[in-house]
Amino acid sequence: HRIKGRVRLGDSVEILPIFGVDYLKSSTSGRNNGFGGAPTLDMFDPVYGQPFAVTATPYDLRAPTNWAVRLRPGTRRIALELQRRHPPRPRQKRRHDRRHDLRLRHQPQQRERRRHVHQSDYGVSPYVSYSESFKPIVGVDGYGRTYQPYIGKQKEVGVKFEPDWLNGTLTLAYFDIEEKNALIADASNIQVQGGKRTNKGVELQGDFRITPRTGVKVTYTYSHARQDIGEAQTIRAPLIPRHQASLWVDHRFDLPNSGALTVAAGVRYNGSTEDQHYYPGDIIPSYTLFDLMARYQIDRNWAVQLNARNLTDKTYVSGCDFYCYYGGERTIDMQLQYQWH
């Protein structure tokens, strides 16, 4: 739940407070690492559906209450955000081995966060951000070891440009992310928890209007991501390319019947990656994908939108992390939207 407010202290001072509370309690159970030997199959006279035994380790994991409180006092020029989240305490379950006890949460949760932004009269807004997070992880790995909670820290320093001569914004940021107990691929077919993973890089974003009807969004990210494998080996983190970029251009056509048609096209670039743990020296090539979007605003409430991703239906390998993965095929969907005013 989140509550927003507005308090005016004078002609030039206005406070925009935000107060929020999160609450979660959950449990899960299942079987881990289920494998068995299948019977032989005659390729010339196959008989399908023959039974075979599968052995697996059961688990029953219960999550204690997880709650958080957010408070954001601020003005239109300066914002300071404070957030405190209590990590759940592990509680012994009633059945099965104690090593399956756990904490639960599938989404990373911010435990403490501070962000300070100041906007000058010249359209330049430097900011500093620091956050800590944790994510209790459910389950055990293929060796029967209970997953420990994921822990992360992120520092970010950036500057946002919004000058009078530019109808839009440009943001340049440096980020430094450190993660512990992150899940990594393993030959057991079940993820294990590795050592520290770091990702340092630079991100550039632009969002501006070329004309009243034409807009452009552009992003570029450079990442230097490293993953500890054991105590003596550090490798390039798989699945994370050093270079990523995207461009999105949209244009609105005003039609005679007072409706509006917006057409947009985009291109996404992902640089090469490498799984230095299992396939050292095998570089996964970079790939570029194209997207399209068309949206027709029927009236004030109704709109219909058509989306196409990977327009050329490009076949590509998105990355390797013990297993290798094909990227998504061409997808097309249509949406009918209604908005209340």
Side-chain angles (χ1 to χ4, degrees):
H1 296 279
R2 179 177 296 180
I3 301 175
K4 298 181 180 180
R6 177 175 296 178
V7 180
R8 183 177 295 276
L9 302 181
D11 295 337
S12 60
V13 179
E14 188 177 65
I15 299 178
L16 307 174
I18 298 177
F19 175 79
V21 177
D22 289 345
Y23 175 86
L24 174 68
K25 188 174 183 179
S26 182
S27 63
T28 185
S29 61
R31 294 179 177 269
N32 220 359
N33 203 12
F35 294 96
T40 58
L41 191 68
D42 188 341
M43 63 180 297
F44 299 104
D45 186 19
V47 178
Y48 299 105
Q50 300 181 64
F52 60 94
V54 175
T55 59
T57 304
Y59 61 88
D60 184 6
L61 308 174
R62 301 176 185 275
T65 301
N66 189 336
W67 61 272
V69 177
R70 298 187 182 93
L71 175 63
R72 183 187 177 188
T75 66
R76 289 192 177 276
R77 289 182 175 268
I78 300 177
L80 177 63
E81 182 173 324
L82 303 176
Q83 180 169 283
R84 183 66 182 178
R85 179 177 294 276
H86 281 260
R89 299 177 181 176
R91 180 179 64 183
Q92 293 181 1
K93 59 178 184 355
R94 299 176 181 175
R95 296 175 295 174
H96 307 305
D97 198 301
R98 285 187 179 183
R99 64 187 177 181
H100 301 303
D101 297 343
L102 215 47
R103 339 43 152 161
L104 176 67
R105 196 68 184 248
H106 290 292
Q107 298 297 330
Q109 299 304 317
Q110 298 296 330
R111 180 175 63 199
E112 186 172 346
R113 180 177 179 181
R114 292 183 174 87
R115 180 184 178 97
H116 185 268
V117 182
H118 175 72
Q119 181 176 351
S120 70
D121 295 331
Y122 304 99
V124 179
S125 303
Y127 70 89
V128 177
S129 176
Y130 174 80
S131 65
E132 296 181 1
S133 60
F134 68 91
K135 182 178 68 173
I137 305 174
V138 174
V140 295
D141 63 21
Y143 310 97
R145 298 173 298 196
T146 301
Y147 290 135
Q148 299 300 309
Y150 160 95
I151 299 174
K153 295 181 180 180
Q154 178 171 339
K155 294 172 283 187
E156 185 173 331
V157 179
V159 60
K160 183 177 181 180
F161 301 93
E162 196 172 1
D164 295 336
W165 52 267
L166 179 66
N167 186 13
T169 60
L170 291 172
T171 304
L172 179 64
Y174 168 81
F175 57 87
D176 184 347
I177 302 172
E178 179 181 302
E179 303 169 288
K180 295 182 180 179
N181 299 330
L183 294 177
I184 60 175
D186 184 73
S188 67
N189 290 313
I190 298 178
Q191 290 180 313
V192 299
Q193 289 185 306
K196 182 173 64 174
R197 180 164 60 196
T198 60
N199 189 6
K200 301 179 181 181
V202 177
E203 186 174 62
L204 175 64
Q205 295 183 353
D207 186 356
F208 46 90
R209 309 297 299 179
I210 299 177
T211 70
R213 291 184 174 85
T214 305
V216 175
K217 295 181 180 179
V218 59
T219 63
Y220 168 76
T221 304
Y222 171 81
S223 300
H224 181 67
R226 307 289 293 174
Q227 171 71 57
D228 290 346
I229 304 294
E231 297 181 356
Q233 185 181 10
T234 301
I235 63 171
R236 174 182 173 183
L239 305 179
I240 302 179
R242 285 196 175 96
H243 304 280
Q244 290 178 288
S246 66
L247 174 66
W248 185 257
V249 180
D250 65 86
H251 183 81
R252 188 184 78 249
F253 298 91
D254 293 328
L255 303 182
N257 60 354
S258 300
L261 174 65
T262 300
V263 178
V267 57
R268 293 175 283 140
Y269 170 81
N270 270 49
S272 62
T273 59
E274 181 183 1
D275 183 359
Q276 295 181 344
H277 188 196
Y278 293 101
Y279 310 104
D282 292 340
I283 304 299
I284 308 303
S286 61
Y287 57 89
T288 302
L289 305 176
F290 298 91
D291 306 319
L292 279 180
M293 185 276 290
R295 176 185 176 87
Y296 177 64
Q297 191 71 38
I298 302 174
D299 55 27
R300 188 169 178 265
N301 302 106
W302 288 95
V304 60
Q305 182 169 318
L306 178 69
N307 304 292
R309 293 176 63 84
N310 188 7
L311 185 66
T312 61
D313 201 18
K314 182 182 182 67
T315 300
Y316 62 99
V317 177
S318 62
C320 291
D321 188 13
F322 181 66
Y323 290 111
C324 293
Y325 305 94
Y326 279 110
E329 300 176 339
R330 176 173 54 208
T331 59
I332 300 176
D333 67 85
M334 180 174 289
Q335 303 172 2
L336 180 63
Q337 303 171 356
Y338 182 85
Q339 184 175 1
W340 285 268
H341 295 277

